[in-house]
């Protein structure tokens, strides 16, 4: 029964996740809607395939019958997360995904008690920025006593995949939100903040990332703010369906990602740390495959979990060439 299904395996990131999982020797089955492309990938990896549509609950249950863990790589997750999460609960299967959409995390919160009762883990964001930022925030929070606030920013470099661009266009949260005193709270639109990713301060704009839920959940810190700094062509315009699948290997190699965090303690001291890693489209499939490997090996806790909360803040440093640099702690008023 310790078998991993990757659903959406023929997509840009799903294919890389499947290749990573196969290279790691994980017992693997590929899932998706397109038979031709799925069979082609299955043949190249010598891996079984199952073709099914998420509109048919019985078909999902049948496909998951001998699976212990499903990794959802099929966006937009507003279409795919709920049918697969609910099927996971029915089938006793642990659920992972790589979503960057807030609704997936709200759904996991909603299903938390049901998942605990079923002995099922819901781990949205097993790769990508949620793993990056959550681990960075947890690392910095451990540097101060009684952390009260996290402000974290992601530097997105290079271009976006077609699937991510289409998903983002459908899931833009027009209302800026923050976590304040443990509750999602509206904040003024257009707010900016300065963060140093390693080459001096740059302006970052406030954006509603899922990390306002996951960081609060994994650290217990009541106030979380999220920001983004964009360079290159990360947010394309025009007809998104004409975009290429995603950045190629050379473009990914030329555009590393960074993240910066400031954690404020109850006494006003501030701990700042900076993360530098490979391009997000390289990091995500590697992190998701590693998370799946750990889950298959028994690193499981029922209910809604986060990568940092489940695996610890050191998880991010096990992925590719990822480094965290600590800056000097700033005393109150310093």
């Amino acid at each position: 029964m310790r078998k991993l299904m990757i659903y959406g395996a023929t997509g840009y990131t799903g294919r890389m996740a499947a290749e990573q999982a196969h290279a790691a020797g994980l017992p693997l089955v590929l899932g998706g809607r397109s038979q031709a492309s799925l069979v082609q990938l299955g043949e190249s990896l010598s891996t079984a395939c199952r073709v099914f549509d998420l509109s048919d609950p019985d078909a999902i249950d049948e496909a998951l019958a001998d699976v212990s863990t499903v990794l959802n790589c099929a966006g937009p997750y507003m279409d795919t997360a709920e049918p697969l999460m609910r099927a996971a609960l029915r089938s006793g299967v642990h659920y992972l995904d790589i979503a960057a959409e807030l609704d997936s995390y709200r759904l996991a919160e909603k299903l938390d008690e049901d998942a605990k009762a079923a002995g099922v883990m819901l781990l949205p964001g097993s790769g990508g920025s949620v793993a990056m930022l959550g681990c960075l925030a947890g690392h910095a929070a451990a540097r101060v006593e009684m952390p009260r606030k996290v402000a974290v920013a992601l530097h997105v470099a290079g271009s976006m995949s077609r699937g991510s661009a289409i998903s983002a266009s459908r899931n833009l949260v027009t209302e800026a939100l923050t976590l304040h005193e443990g509750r999602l709270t509206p904040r003024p639109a257009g707010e900016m903040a300065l963060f140093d990713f390693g080459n001096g301060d740059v302006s970052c704009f406030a954006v509603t990332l899922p990390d306002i839920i996951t960081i609060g959940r994994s650290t217990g810190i009541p106030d979380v703010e999220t920001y983004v700094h964009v360079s290159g062509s990360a947010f394309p315009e025009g007809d998104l369906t004409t975009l290429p699948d995603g950045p190629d290997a050379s473009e990914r190699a030329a555009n590393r990602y960074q993240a910066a965090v400031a954690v404020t303690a109850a006494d006003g001291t501030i701990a700042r740390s900076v993360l530098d890693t490979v391009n997000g489209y390289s990091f995500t499939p590697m992190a998701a495959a590693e998370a799946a490997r750990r889950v298959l090996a028994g690193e499981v806790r029922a209910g809604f979990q986060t990568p940092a909360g489940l695996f610890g803040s050191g998880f991010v440093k096990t992925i590719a060439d990822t480094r965290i640099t600590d800056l000097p702690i700033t005393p109150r008023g310093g």
Side-chain angles (χ1 to χ4, degrees):
M1 278 290 291
R2 291 196 177 276
K3 185 182 294 184
L4 170 68
M5 171 181 281
I6 297 180
Y7 189 79
T10 60
Y12 174 71
T13 305
R15 177 182 291 270
M16 289 191 285
E19 291 168 349
Q20 290 285 335
H22 177 72
L26 303 186
L28 182 64
V29 59
L30 308 179
R33 293 173 298 176
S34 174
Q35 181 168 355
S37 56
L38 199 62
V39 169
Q40 183 179 25
L41 179 61
E43 289 176 350
S44 71
L45 298 179
S46 300
T47 301
C49 302
R50 293 173 190 169
V51 180
F52 60 100
D53 190 277
L54 298 184
S55 64
D56 185 346
D58 291 338
I60 305 174
D61 294 349
E62 181 180 353
L64 296 180
D66 63 345
V67 169
S68 62
T69 302
V70 59
L71 169 60
N72 180 13
C73 293
Y77 295 89
M78 64 185 300
D79 298 331
T80 65
E82 183 162 9
L84 276 174
M85 280 191 195
R86 292 192 180 278
L89 297 185
R90 293 193 303 270
S91 302
V93 171
H94 302 304
Y95 172 91
L96 288 69
D97 71 26
I98 54 173
E101 303 165 16
L102 191 66
D103 285 350
S104 296
Y105 299 83
R106 283 174 157 164
L107 176 61
E109 282 188 314
K110 177 181 176 181
L111 297 177
D112 181 43
E113 292 302 321
D114 290 342
K116 289 176 180 176
V120 166
M121 182 171 68
L122 303 176
L123 186 67
S126 58
S129 65
V130 168
M132 289 183 202
L133 301 187
C135 290
L136 179 64
H139 171 91
R143 301 179 62 208
V144 297
E145 297 291 332
M146 298 179 63
R148 295 290 303 170
K149 177 181 177 181
V150 172
V152 65
L154 177 67
H155 175 207
V156 179
S159 62
M160 185 179 285
S161 75
R162 180 175 61 244
S164 295
I166 293 172
S167 180
S169 71
R170 292 183 59 190
N171 289 278
L172 287 176
V173 179
T174 55
E175 182 182 32
L177 299 173
T178 185
L179 188 71
H180 179 61
E181 297 181 353
R183 295 186 177 185
L184 295 183
T185 305
R187 64 186 305 185
E191 285 194 336
M192 305 289 291
L194 295 175
F195 287 84
D196 185 352
F197 297 106
N199 293 299
D201 287 345
V202 295
S203 293
C204 301
F205 59 91
V207 66
T208 305
L209 297 178
D211 308 87
I212 60 175
I213 292 177
T214 55
I215 289 175
R217 192 173 186 87
S218 63
T219 65
I221 296 174
D223 291 2
V224 181
E225 297 176 354
T226 54
Y227 299 82
V228 166
H229 175 73
V230 176
S231 61
S233 56
F235 289 113
E237 298 178 349
D239 184 357
L240 302 180
T241 63
T242 64
L243 292 174
D245 282 350
D248 62 23
S250 62
E251 184 178 359
R252 295 197 304 270
N255 290 281
R256 294 177 66 86
Y257 273 31
Q258 291 83 35
V261 67
V263 176
T264 304
D267 65 0
T269 59
I270 301 175
R272 292 183 173 86
S273 300
V274 179
L275 177 147
D276 180 83
T277 190
V278 294
N279 184 270
Y281 287 107
S282 297
F283 180 96
T284 295
M286 287 188 281
E290 172 60 12
R293 184 193 68 79
R294 294 184 181 212
V295 172
L296 289 173
E299 290 188 56
V300 172
R301 192 157 57 236
F304 172 28
Q305 306 298 331
T306 71
L310 181 67
F311 303 130
S313 299
F315 174 67
V316 71
K317 292 190 286 186
T318 70
I319 308 302
D321 177 22
T322 301
R323 303 181 296 271
I324 293 178
T325 302
D326 293 329
L327 304 181
I329 291 179
T330 304
R332 179 177 183 178

